[in-house]
Amino acid sequence: MKENRGNPLQLTSLNHISLVCRSVQESIDFYQNILGFVPVRRPGSLSFDGAWLFNCGIGIHLLQSEEEGKLPEKREINPKDNHISFQCESMSAVEKSLTEMGINYVRQRVEEGGIYVDQLFFHDPDGFMVEICNCDNLPVIPLAGETVRACSRLNSLRAIQHQQQIQVVQP
């Protein structure tokens, strides 16, 4: 096993993801109206069609496909496929909204030590998978004595509390 080197690149957060689209406008509509992202100014030096959106502390950069026919077709919704995941406040509200908007989704539940995480998976207009979850329920616990920064303060607090419980139990 390779030696763990901590954070050699001094990463601080996820900045953005880039997605190649069949139609930038259709994808803008989806990310703006379904996920609540806001279009933001894009550098004028970019000489190709695209759009930048921002929300939840991250950006989504949409890039117009140069070869539309080469984009993969939508497949069956598969939670084990590539996806981006967003934490939500209310899974029931998300599920109700997706149903009202006619968006097909797959529901899953993960359990670990009596803690449950609910997940909803669906596709964007180009077949890229999106997950909405209450993943904050599950503490982020390092496999070794490493320190990790969780997605939220709540999850970080749970991880610290869990680590303290382990230290108390161990002789």
Side-chain angles (χ1 to χ4, degrees):
M1 182 180 260
K2 288 187 176 182
E3 178 185 335
N4 185 340
R5 297 181 184 204
N7 188 2
L9 301 181
Q10 304 298 306
L11 303 179
T12 58
S13 67
L14 174 66
N15 181 270
H16 71 274
I17 63 166
S18 291
L19 300 171
V20 177
C21 310
R22 284 183 182 83
S23 165
V24 168
Q25 189 54 54
E26 192 175 332
S27 292
I28 290 171
D29 290 344
F30 175 85
Y31 285 97
Q32 186 173 11
N33 297 321
I34 306 299
L35 297 180
F37 277 72
V38 176
V40 295
R41 186 183 314 241
R42 208 173 148 236
S45 63
L46 296 175
S47 61
F48 54 89
D49 190 18
W52 286 11
L53 299 103
F54 190 83
N55 194 7
C56 307
I58 64 166
I60 295 180
H61 294 184
L62 303 174
L63 313 170
Q64 179 63 50
S65 172
E66 294 177 3
E67 299 180 50
E68 183 177 317
K70 291 200 175 189
L71 288 179
E73 292 295 318
K74 274 189 181 179
R75 301 181 306 265
E76 184 178 317
I77 299 172
N78 177 359
K80 293 187 278 182
D81 200 353
N82 296 327
H83 63 274
I84 186 169
S85 178
F86 296 97
Q87 174 72 28
C88 73
E89 292 181 20
S90 168
M91 290 299 292
S92 59
V94 169
E95 190 164 13
K96 181 178 184 232
S97 293
L98 291 174
T99 300
E100 288 171 356
M101 292 184 273
I103 295 176
N104 294 328
Y105 61 89
V106 168
R107 176 201 291 235
Q108 267 200 219
R109 178 173 254 198
V110 175
E111 186 270 334
E112 175 65 26
I115 298 172
Y116 295 92
V117 171
D118 294 305
Q119 305 164 298
L120 299 174
F121 294 89
F122 53 97
H123 286 136
D124 80 354
D126 295 295
F128 186 77
M129 184 102 62
V130 175
E131 172 191 3
I132 308 293
C133 68
N134 58 359
C135 297
D136 236 5
N137 292 346
L138 198 61
V140 175
I141 303 167
L143 294 178
E146 299 295 321
T147 302
V148 294
R149 290 174 39 178
C151 297
S152 72
R153 288 183 180 164
L154 175 62
N155 210 329
S156 294
L157 179 60
R158 286 183 180 149
I160 290 166
Q161 289 170 338
H162 183 79
Q163 198 69 12
Q164 288 170 343
Q165 289 171 345
I166 290 171
Q167 291 170 355
V168 169
V169 172
Q170 293 177 345

